[in-house]
């Protein structure tokens, strides 16, 4: 053990010098540079994350804040005490070339089956013997560096109890992880605008009908009502409608704003609302009913979340029961959109603009892969290390 510890401390010293704050692009999602986190072991034997590496000899890991995967340099996984990844433990037949590259710059890694330990193969670099664990694999082996795994158990249980009680009343989903990074200013501004629109219409300053989307009115006079494709998003029917939309905007929007950047996030929101409005006008039979609310725009944000964070888990109470389950976001969002589609076709209730939800969702589904491609290129450029000088010299 002592040998490992001393090797570890040497490892982390040289690592600090070579890979300061941020190292390479996440080999799994490629949406973020790996970020160093420091862990120390408590008296109880648990590893906890510390903010500043002031204390004695922390263990430095590189993690991805988007997909929660983690890179373990040689020996780190064993030091944390999860598993010993040893070439001997895996049968040679299970070793295949992975399509992911070593974040230390050694090219494609090897994918390694760990029968009896994990169902999915892990990636290992043949050169530096570092190991990559995806978020769910790492969760299975250790909760040490995720937020959920920190703090005393009693506090975690108390928090979970409060969430459960609130969910029984509201039936709303809650993110288990995926904390916000940076301040989601656009989300806050949009919530402020939604609130202002609602209060001004309640106060009678704006007559919401004038700003609502009405299919029949648009058909008669398109030039004078074209602005309603944007304005309808900022008015709500009642407090419940407003608070529900604001909650979903915050729940899914904070992480998406961080990932997209502010300008693209605004484009997503407004564009989804616009396309949602167009689809509603084109397909809905409710041509005389005024449509208001940001749900079409928020559906676009939800679609972006489906692409970007499919495996983040949400707490959800099964409707009409006290049973709380943890489900991946992709399950929640697909169930949600299928429900919208079924209701759009079969529901006769005119007070729900199902098609605007579907249109907004479709816009988010189409826009997001394009944004993610841009983001991957941007991160790759940011972490780019000058090519091996030897090779480039040969080329000259
Ligand atoms: Zn990642
Ligand atoms: Zn390597």
């Amino acid at each position: 053990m002592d040998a490992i510890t001393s090797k570890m401390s040497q490892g982390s010293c040289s690592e600090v010098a070579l890979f300061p704050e941020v190292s390479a692009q996440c080999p799994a999602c490629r949406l973020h540079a790996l970020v160093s986190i420091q862990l120390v072991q408590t008296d109880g034997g648990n590893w906890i994350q510390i903010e500043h590496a002031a204390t004695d000899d922390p263990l430095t890991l590189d993690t991805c804040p988007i997909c929660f995967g983690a890179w373990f340099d040689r020996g780190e996984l064993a030091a944390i005490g999860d598993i010993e990844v040893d070439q001997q433990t895996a049968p040679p037949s299970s070793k295949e070339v992975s399509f992911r590259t070593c974040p230390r710059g050694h090219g494609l890694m090897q994918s390694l089956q760990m029968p009896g330990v994990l169902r999915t193969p892990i990636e290992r670099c043949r050169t530096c013997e570092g190991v990559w664990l995806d978020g769910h694999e790492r969760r299975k082996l250790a909760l040490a560096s995720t937020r959920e795994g920190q703090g005393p158990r009693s506090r975690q249980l108390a928090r979970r109890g409060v969430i459960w009680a609130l969910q029984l009343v509201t039936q709303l989903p809650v993110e288990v992880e995926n904390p916000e990074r940076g301040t989601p200013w656009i989300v806050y501004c949009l919530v402020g605008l939604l609130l202002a629109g609602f209060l001004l219409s309640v106060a009678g300053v704006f007559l919401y009908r004038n700003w609502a989307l009405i299919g029949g009115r648009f058909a008669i006079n398109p030039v004078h009502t074209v602005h309603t494709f944007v304005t309808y998003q900022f008015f709500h029917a009642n407090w419940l409608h407003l608070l529900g939309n604001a909650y979903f905007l915050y729940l899914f929007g904070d992480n998406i704003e961080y990932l997209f950047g502010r300008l693209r996030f605004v484009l997503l929101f407004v564009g989804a609302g616009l396309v949602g409005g167009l689809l509603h006008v084109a397909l809905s039979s409710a041509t005389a009913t005024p449509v208001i609310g940001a749900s079409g725009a928020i559906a676009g944000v939800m679609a972006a979340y489906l692409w970007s964070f499919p495996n983040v888990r949400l707490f959800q109470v099964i409707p009409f029961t006290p049973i709380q389950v943890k489900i991946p976001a992709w399950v929640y969002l697909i169930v949600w959109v299928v429900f919208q589609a079924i209701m759009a076709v079969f529901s006769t209730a005119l007070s729900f603009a199902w098609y605007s939800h579907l249109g907004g969702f479709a816009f988010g589904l189409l826009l997001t892969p394009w944004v993610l491609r841009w983001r991957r290129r941007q991160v790759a450029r940011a972490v780019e290390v000058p090519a091996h000088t030897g090779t480039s010299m040969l080329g000259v």
Side-chain angles (χ1 to χ4, degrees), residues 71 102 104-106 125 127-129:
W71 173 255
C102 167
R104 298 293 183 239
H106 302 122
C125 173
T127 309
C128 65
E129 297 182 20

Side-chain angles (χ1 to χ4, degrees), residues 2 6 12 17 20 22 28 40 47 73 86 104 106 118 139 145 154 199 213 220-221 234 276 311 328 344 376 392:
D2 281 335
S6 69
S12 48
V22 158
V40 287
W47 287 91
D73 282 311
D86 177 353
R104 298 293 183 239
H106 302 122
L118 285 169
R139 230 176 350 246
S145 52
S154 57
L199 290 176
L213 186 62
I220 295 164
N221 192 352
F234 296 94
N311 295 318
R376 287 187 177 117
S392 59

Side-chain angles (χ1 to χ4, degrees), residues 66-331:
I66 299 294
C67 68
F68 298 107
W71 173 255
F72 297 82
D73 282 311
R74 191 182 130 101
E76 285 178 339
L77 202 53
I80 267 193
D82 293 330
I83 45 165
E84 190 88 52
V85 180
D86 177 353
Q87 253 179 322
Q88 270 72 48
T89 57
S93 60
S94 78
K95 294 172 198 161
E96 287 165 18
V97 175
S98 159
F99 56 89
R100 293 173 176 171
T101 54
C102 167
R104 298 293 183 239
H106 302 122
L108 291 178
M109 293 191 280
Q110 190 178 39
S111 99
L112 211 62
Q113 299 285 350
M114 303 287 295
V117 184
L118 285 169
R119 262 181 292 177
T120 46
I122 63 169
E123 276 83 27
R124 180 173 175 282
C125 173
R126 263 175 293 190
T127 309
C128 65
E129 297 182 20
V131 169
W132 174 263
L133 293 182
D134 282 337
H136 65 97
E137 294 167 343
R138 183 175 144 207
R139 230 176 350 246
K140 224 168 160 199
L141 294 172
L143 295 171
S145 52
T146 61
R147 201 165 267 205
E148 201 196 15
Q150 297 158 29
R153 181 105 184 108
S154 57
R155 204 192 311 158
Q156 279 181 47
L157 284 174
R159 181 172 158 260
R160 178 111 188 230
V162 171
I163 291 174
W164 177 70
L166 287 173
Q167 285 195 300
L168 280 184
V169 180
T170 63
Q171 306 275 310
L172 293 170
V174 172
E175 273 175 322
V176 179
E177 53 204 16
N178 217 5
E180 71 183 37
R181 298 164 193 99
T183 310
W185 285 115
I186 300 294
V187 168
Y188 291 160
C189 288
L190 286 170
V191 168
L193 280 174
L194 301 185
L195 181 67
F198 176 68
L199 290 176
L200 289 172
S201 70
V202 169
V205 179
F206 289 116
L207 194 59
Y208 83 85
R209 234 191 122 78
N210 294 340
W211 305 93
L213 186 62
I214 305 173
R217 190 172 64 181
F218 176 71
I220 295 164
N221 192 352
V223 176
H224 289 102
T225 55
V226 71
H227 63 279
T228 57
F229 280 96
V230 174
T231 55
Y232 86 98
Q233 304 175 32
F234 296 94
F235 293 89
H236 287 81
N238 51 50
W239 277 109
L240 210 61
H241 188 204
L242 173 73
L243 292 177
N245 273 351
Y247 180 76
F248 278 94
L249 176 57
Y250 176 72
L251 179 72
F252 295 117
D254 58 341
N255 306 114
I256 294 299
E257 179 179 335
Y258 176 77
L259 195 58
F260 273 48
R262 301 217 163 102
L263 200 66
R264 286 176 188 80
F265 184 71
V266 171
L267 177 74
L268 170 70
F269 187 90
V270 176
L274 203 71
V275 173
L278 285 170
L279 199 72
H280 171 80
V281 167
L283 297 179
S284 173
S285 53
T287 50
T289 315
V291 174
I292 46 172
S295 26
I298 293 164
V301 178
M302 289 164 78
Y305 201 92
L306 176 62
W307 274 127
S308 314
F309 302 100
N311 295 318
V312 161
R313 293 167 309 158
L314 304 173
F315 278 136
Q316 177 65 47
V317 175
I318 297 174
F320 313 114
T321 71
I323 302 164
Q324 188 190 46
V325 286
K326 258 187 219 173
I327 49 171
W330 70 266
V331 172

